Amino acid sequence: MDVKISPAKKIHGDVEVPPDKSITHRVLIFSSLAEGRSVLRNLLDSDDTLRTFNILEKLAVRFDGDFSRLEVEPPPKFLEPEIPLFCGNSGTTARLMMGFLVPLDGLFILYGDESLSRRPMGRVTKPLRMMGAKIWGRENGERLPIAIKGTELCGIDYKQNVASAQVKSAILIAGLRAEGRTTVEEPFKSRDHTERLLKYMGADLKEDGRKVEISKSVLDPIDMYVPGDISSASFFITLGVLHKNSKLVLKNVGLNPTRTGYLEILKRMGAKIDMEIVEAEPEPYGRITVETSKLHGTIISGSDIPKAIDELPLLGIIGALAEGETIVKDAKELRVKESDRIKSTVENLRKLGVDIVERSDGFVVKGTGKIVGGEGKSYGDHRIAMLLAIAGKLSMEGVRIKDAECVKISFPNFFEILEGISMG
Ligand code: S3P
């Protein structure tokens, strides 16, 4: 599906973004391990989260209701499915499910689409094997498909060499059912939804800076409302600060401090962003107001990176319309996302007339004050398709997006909402 986005004269209105993807995966998985029936409200209904849901259903978890209100009943014993388990495009499904499956009785096979089959899995299979897990996979467990034969696990002390919430979560989910104590340490703190939710559900989990410790625990069921996804909100936040005539209010957006790095970066660049936070347990959320702002360039590096990892490509657009130079570095991880997001961002934005140069670990953008427009392609990556749409609204001539249907991976009604706030 190709989509043509026309420039907007005005951006205005209230936006309700879809529920958080990371939290939806996690509450589905954790409530399947709880002792009793959980109630989950406002889950994200998208391709990626459906992959996790479908896999859990095949393992005999019972779900009643729909994604607006779902009751989850863990089975007395997880079943060995007759067929391989499809993770689609979803890295979170593949990596968290590995941690989930390793201690279960049975043989399990995980596979994914072309993009997911290229992504690194050794970062998860290696620590899980150290815990005793039996795992076989392509390139010695570096890539999907992966086969797991459930076995008893023992705790480990593990230092990750990349900041990754998926890796950390896989180890913690396995550690929850392993003998002894498991610790994980990251070079920089990544999103902490797993830590917050597991603690909230009664797990024996302690945090000390970048280090997390977990021991074998029983989880209590939960009743939980999933807030809106800050990563989905970030597309509109970008449009709201950059458009010359705009004011937007985004409601019920998750404002966990390990996810708000992009807002901090934009504020540092001069953006007018206002947040009203409701300190809710286990996840804070609130309202964000953004309006036309004058931005200046900055350097984004180090601990900025994991807190804004999924939003970094948007800095290509921000940099084009900010004054001076905007530099993103230390962001090599972008190369192993749903697409190589350094390449897919730089190639697309250059074609739209942006002065942007690729670096091995990021990119450098010169603020020229304009985006001309033209044609871009999604590379099958939902966030790149949405980035192109935002560029289109801010451009002089509009943008045609090739293969835009992938937005359904995280944000099925993205184009409707975008058109709803665009005038002229
Ligand atoms: C996610 C963690 C991040 C992020 C991804 C979702 C999660 O990936 O990019 O979209 O839900 O844990 P990494 O763990 O690879 O950094």
Side-chain angles (χ1 to χ4, degrees):
M1 175 182 83
D2 289 4
V3 171
K4 173 82 209 254
I5 300 290
S6 309
K9 288 215 171 70
K10 185 174 176 182
I11 296 294
H12 191 83
D14 289 359
V15 180
E16 189 91 42
V17 291
D20 190 275
K21 181 157 82 73
S22 285
I23 299 177
T24 297
H25 283 294
R26 285 164 172 77
V27 287
L28 286 168
I29 293 173
F30 301 160
S31 59
S32 299
L33 288 171
E35 296 235 317
R37 202 174 173 92
S38 292
V39 180
L40 308 177
R41 284 169 289 118
N42 197 41
L43 295 169
L44 173 66
D45 189 354
S46 73
D47 277 8
D48 264 18
T49 46
L50 272 173
R51 303 303 177 200
T52 294
F53 174 86
N54 287 334
I55 291 178
L56 292 167
E57 209 172 33
K58 288 202 174 67
L59 298 171
V61 178
R62 239 194 81 188
F63 295 108
D64 294 312
D66 58 32
F67 274 29
S68 64
R69 188 185 181 281
L70 191 73
E71 294 195 13
V72 185
E73 180 83 43
K77 188 175 187 304
F78 292 103
L79 290 185
E80 180 188 69
E82 288 168 0
I83 53 171
L85 304 168
F86 185 49
C87 305
N89 192 250
S90 174
T92 310
T93 305
R95 297 192 177 116
L96 269 59
M97 284 315 299
M98 283 184 213
F100 184 93
L101 293 168
V102 279
L104 301 187
D105 263 356
L107 181 84
F108 310 91
I109 294 169
L110 293 169
Y111 73 108
D113 70 4
E114 262 179 56
S115 148
L116 189 58
S117 306
R118 282 193 294 268
R119 296 178 65 186
M121 296 296 152
R123 50 179 65 190
V124 178
T125 55
K126 181 180 165 206
L128 292 181
R129 279 173 171 159
M130 287 166 64
M131 297 176 83
K134 291 186 187 152
I135 303 176
W136 298 265
R138 221 156 46 88
E139 296 174 29
N140 190 28
E142 182 57 37
R143 318 246 174 244
L144 295 177
I146 269 168
I148 291 170
K149 177 108 179 71
T151 188
E152 275 173 26
L153 305 175
C154 56
I156 53 165
D157 294 315
Y158 192 70
K159 262 196 174 170
Q160 295 177 205
N161 48 25
V162 285
S164 160
Q166 294 176 354
V167 174
K168 173 176 63 181
S169 301
I171 299 170
L172 293 174
I173 297 168
L176 192 61
R177 280 124 348 116
E179 280 312 318
R181 201 186 59 132
T182 298
T183 64
V184 210
E185 189 177 335
E186 299 185 277
F188 295 108
K189 184 83 182 165
S190 64
R191 62 190 66 186
D192 68 356
H193 303 302
T194 295
E195 295 91 307
R196 282 173 183 259
L197 288 163
L198 288 180
K199 256 203 276 188
Y200 189 64
M201 295 174 78
D204 180 3
L205 183 147
K206 294 185 202 80
E207 283 174 275
D208 181 10
R210 293 173 284 107
K211 199 167 175 175
V212 189
E213 179 186 317
I214 197 164
S215 300
K216 203 177 212 167
S217 313
V218 170
L219 296 182
D220 302 326
I222 37 165
D223 183 333
M224 163 126 186
Y225 167 85
V226 179
D229 197 318
I230 181 85
S231 298
S232 299
S234 294
F235 294 98
F236 302 120
I237 292 168
T238 306
L239 185 55
V241 294
L242 291 180
H243 197 279
K244 290 201 169 66
N245 184 2
S246 77
K247 178 144 188 180
L248 283 179
V249 179
L250 299 112
K251 295 176 182 159
N252 296 329
V253 185
L255 292 172
N256 175 319
T258 59
R259 290 286 299 281
T260 51
Y262 186 59
L263 301 182
E264 287 163 25
I265 295 165
L266 293 184
K267 280 187 174 175
R268 211 157 81 202
M269 298 176 81
K272 291 185 200 155
I273 299 178
D274 209 58
M275 278 189 269
E276 254 175 69
I277 306 180
V278 180
E279 282 297 342
E281 277 287 324
E283 290 284 349
Y285 64 91
R287 169 199 293 257
I288 304 174
T289 309
V290 290
E291 59 186 293
T292 310
S293 311
K294 201 169 156 24
L295 305 184
H296 49 82
T298 187
I299 299 178
I300 297 104
S301 63
S303 62
D304 289 334
I305 302 300
K307 281 196 284 174
I309 186 73
D310 292 336
E311 292 69 70
L312 295 174
L314 285 167
L315 289 162
I317 302 181
I318 294 280
L321 300 182
E323 212 180 277
E325 208 170 56
T326 299
I327 301 173
V328 175
K329 59 183 197 180
D330 304 330
K332 249 201 196 105
E333 271 296 298
L334 288 179
R335 295 215 181 263
V336 291
K337 294 293 175 188
E338 287 84 327
S339 67
D340 172 344
R341 284 187 180 155
I342 295 180
K343 182 165 164 271
S344 48
T345 300
V346 171
E347 285 188 359
N348 273 314
L349 292 181
R350 281 178 81 96
K351 273 204 250 159
L352 305 184
V354 174
D355 185 345
I356 182 167
V357 182
E358 181 173 342
R359 292 272 168 86
S360 62
D361 65 345
F363 50 80
V364 178
V365 206
K366 285 213 176 81
T368 55
K370 65 173 194 294
I371 297 172
V372 180
E375 190 175 286
K377 58 176 184 182
S378 72
Y379 291 78
D381 184 334
H382 53 134
R383 298 202 199 278
I384 299 300
M386 293 187 273
L387 165 117
L388 286 166
I390 299 305
K393 286 290 171 201
L394 294 163
S395 69
M396 294 152 70
E397 296 168 7
V399 169
R400 177 175 288 281
I401 312 165
K402 288 197 84 61
D403 303 324
E405 67 284 349
C406 54
V407 300
K408 69 186 194 307
I409 287 169
S410 64
F411 199 159
N413 59 347
F414 171 76
F415 290 113
E416 270 165 60
I417 295 187
L418 181 62
E419 292 312 326
I421 55 166
S422 309
M423 279 137 223

